[in-house]
Amino acid sequence: GENVEQHPSTLSVQEGDSAVIKCTYSDSASNYFPWYKQELGKGPQLIIDIRSNVGEKKDQRIAVTLNKTAKHFSLHITETQPEDSAVYFCAASSFSGGYNKLIFGAGTRLAVHP
Amino acid sequence: DARVTQTPRHKVTEMGQEVTMRCQPILGHNTVFWYRQTMMQGLELLAYFRNRAPLDDSGMPKDRFSAEMPDATLATLKIQPSEPRDSAVYFCASGLDLRDRSADTQYFGPGTRLTVL
């Protein structure tokens, strides 16, 4: 079946540093790539997404890049803050059974130390 | 602001009991997804509804799980009988399918943490 691999599984940075999380996907027809942030005891919250007709998208301190040829996309967080500490999930769309489902990566636990 | 709501937030029950989880999608959304999250399996898709019709429930154990949408504002996931291996966090997400083959953005609820003893 379709697969999304996410690296690293854990990431520890100092406040103010940048953090990068990378994902690769297997379905060449994938056209939608969201990123979710999940804090302890809460549901995944959409933080940014990108569609396949765009190579890069930025929203304040977060940005996502997409390389369709290589089938990988990345999340970049600049000037990290302690409140960025959470688990981050990437996902890629996969059309099967007549609808688009999201295939999720296993998650990256980000710790930002003051 | 509009958000997906889920009840109950926590449920502890004994093996063999029936469990019903409820979800209210964002008003105007026409798709509902049910997921289960565990440490071992991550986020697993259990069921998918579009315009209240169940289009995919291949991710659910058929003998004990059932999902319905009695109306556009309520989706339910039922487990009967529950087993300890069902212990997990169950999430509902909703979206808007524009039928243009582009994936709809999914917005997640806060989840129901289920513990089956």
Side-chain angles (χ1 to χ4, degrees):
Chain A
E2 305 306 339
N3 185 49
V4 173
E5 294 190 359
Q6 183 171 347
H7 299 280
S9 56
T10 60
L11 181 58
S12 183
V13 300
Q14 290 296 125
E15 182 178 0
D17 288 350
S18 295
V20 180
I21 303 171
K22 299 182 179 182
C23 290
T24 59
Y25 60 97
S26 60
D27 184 356
S28 56
S30 292
N31 58 20
Y32 176 62
F33 308 89
W35 285 88
Y36 289 87
K37 173 184 180 182
Q38 186 175 22
E39 296 174 296
L40 195 63
K42 297 184 178 181
Q45 178 189 7
L46 179 72
I47 55 171
I48 195 168
D49 56 10
I50 191 169
R51 296 194 182 262
S52 59
N53 57 345
V54 176
E56 183 174 356
K57 185 177 178 181
K58 190 173 181 179
D59 182 4
Q60 299 183 339
R61 295 186 298 108
I62 59 174
V64 57
T65 59
L66 171 65
N67 184 328
K68 285 220 74 180
T69 303
K71 291 194 285 189
H72 66 69
F73 55 114
S74 301
L75 177 71
H76 304 252
I77 306 174
T78 59
E79 300 172 29
T80 54
Q81 302 168 1
E83 52 264 39
D84 294 329
S85 298
V87 178
Y88 291 80
F89 293 94
C90 65
S93 64
S94 181
F95 191 86
S96 73
Y99 73 101
N100 276 295
K101 60 181 69 174
L102 291 179
I103 310 299
F104 285 88
T108 296
R109 184 173 300 277
L110 173 65
V112 181
H113 302 284
Chain B
D1 60 328
R3 59 184 66 188
V4 177
T5 59
Q6 289 185 249
T7 57
R9 293 295 315 278
H10 303 273
K11 176 72 176 178
V12 180
T13 191
E14 294 189 347
M15 182 174 61
Q17 296 298 305
E18 177 178 300
V19 175
T20 299
M21 292 169 270
R22 294 176 175 80
C23 166
Q24 181 173 3
I26 293 172
L27 187 64
H29 282 186
N30 63 351
T31 61
V32 169
F33 301 80
W34 281 103
Y35 291 90
R36 176 169 61 184
Q37 186 177 45
T38 62
M39 289 296 292
M40 295 300 294
Q41 299 296 327
L43 275 164
E44 302 173 87
L45 178 64
L46 299 176
Y48 168 71
F49 288 76
R50 182 196 297 145
N51 297 325
R52 295 177 54 200
L55 298 188
D56 185 5
D57 62 0
S58 60
M60 293 199 308
K62 295 294 186 297
D63 55 339
R64 299 183 300 107
F65 284 58
S66 62
E68 296 179 342
M69 276 201 78
D71 61 61
T73 64
L74 177 64
T76 63
L77 179 66
K78 186 176 296 186
I79 307 174
Q80 168 62 21
S82 58
E83 297 181 1
R85 59 178 167 156
D86 300 329
S87 297
V89 182
Y90 291 81
F91 289 105
C92 167
S94 73
L96 183 61
D97 182 0
L98 300 176
R99 303 311 306 274
D100 60 354
R101 289 201 59 141
S102 64
D104 47 320
T105 301
Q106 294 183 29
Y107 297 91
F108 282 76
T112 294
R113 181 175 294 276
L114 174 65
T115 302
V116 183
L117 302 174

